[in-house]
Amino acid sequence: SLSILVTSHNKYSFLDEFEKNLEHFTQLDAEIIIVDDYSSDGSRDFLKDLAQRHRGINLILNNKNLGSAESRNLALYAATREFVFFWDIDDVVVLDELLHMLKESKAASADLCKGNFGTHSTIINSHLELNPTSIIQDSISNQAHSIVNDMGYWRYLYKIGRAHV
């Protein structure tokens, strides 16, 4: 029920660490979509090899540099699972927190889950109510304000609601 969306542009120096972190995610049975945004530093070859060695990786190779926003949109368009999580290739993702976010999102029928990569997540469900067991902030308006000011899409698990599996 999870698509992990990854974008990369000239991030070769981070790919060894990314692969090590990625190996922890095999238990998720997640769909992993990686978009290489026309890298020129050897990343494309590394990612091609990575996709051949690891089951479940779908690799999209842009034939020109489209920028990170368009690359994320391409990954999102290709996603087939109920939830999506954006992962920048140069970030370390904590598996336990992602599992917690997924569990909480499903339990609360949430459309959005904000993780803090600690011990709690904040849930906003489709009825615009906070899950009482996960409240970090005291109101929806505060949470919405936080989302707008945070500018960090990568800490969120989004429900896209089009599971094709």
Side-chain angles (χ1 to χ4, degrees):
S1 62
L2 178 63
S3 296
I4 298 174
L5 312 180
V6 183
T7 59
S8 177
H9 176 70
N10 290 337
K11 298 286 185 175
Y12 185 82
S13 62
F14 296 98
L15 291 176
D16 283 331
E17 284 301 312
F18 169 75
E19 183 175 12
K20 289 176 191 171
N21 198 211
L22 182 66
E23 289 173 1
H24 298 274
F25 288 79
T26 55
Q27 66 181 324
L28 281 179
D29 191 32
E31 168 185 59
I32 299 169
I33 299 169
I34 302 174
V35 178
D36 179 77
D37 195 20
Y38 203 60
S39 294
S40 59
D41 66 346
S43 295
R44 289 170 83 82
D45 291 332
F46 187 101
L47 292 170
K48 286 179 193 176
D49 183 57
L50 182 72
Q52 289 179 346
R53 289 184 285 116
H54 292 273
R55 221 174 116 199
I57 293 179
N58 300 314
L59 180 61
I60 299 171
L61 300 170
N62 292 348
N63 59 6
K64 65 179 181 177
N65 184 277
L66 300 175
S68 58
E70 187 62 30
S71 293
R72 285 187 193 97
N73 287 339
L74 286 171
L76 185 58
Y77 182 76
T80 63
R81 306 290 175 90
E82 182 180 15
F83 290 93
V84 296
F85 181 79
F86 291 96
W87 179 0
D88 282 351
I89 213 156
D90 56 352
D91 290 334
V92 173
V93 176
V94 179
L95 177 61
D96 289 343
E97 179 63 18
L98 187 53
L99 288 170
H100 176 73
M101 291 169 68
L102 192 57
K103 178 183 165 192
E104 290 284 320
S105 295
K106 287 179 179 181
S109 298
D111 293 327
L112 176 70
C113 178
K114 176 185 176 185
N116 63 7
F117 301 110
T119 57
H120 299 288
S121 299
T122 301
I123 304 294
I124 299 179
N125 71 24
S126 56
H127 306 293
L128 295 178
E129 299 168 355
L130 289 174
N131 178 340
T133 62
S134 301
I135 292 176
I136 291 174
Q137 295 167 325
D138 60 1
S139 72
I140 287 292
S141 61
N142 284 348
Q143 180 63 24
H145 181 73
S146 171
I147 290 169
V148 170
N149 289 328
D150 213 358
M151 301 302 284
Y153 60 85
W154 60 90
R155 290 178 10 192
Y156 296 90
L157 182 70
Y158 302 89
K159 182 176 184 179
I160 59 174
R162 52 170 203 231
H164 301 301
V165 240

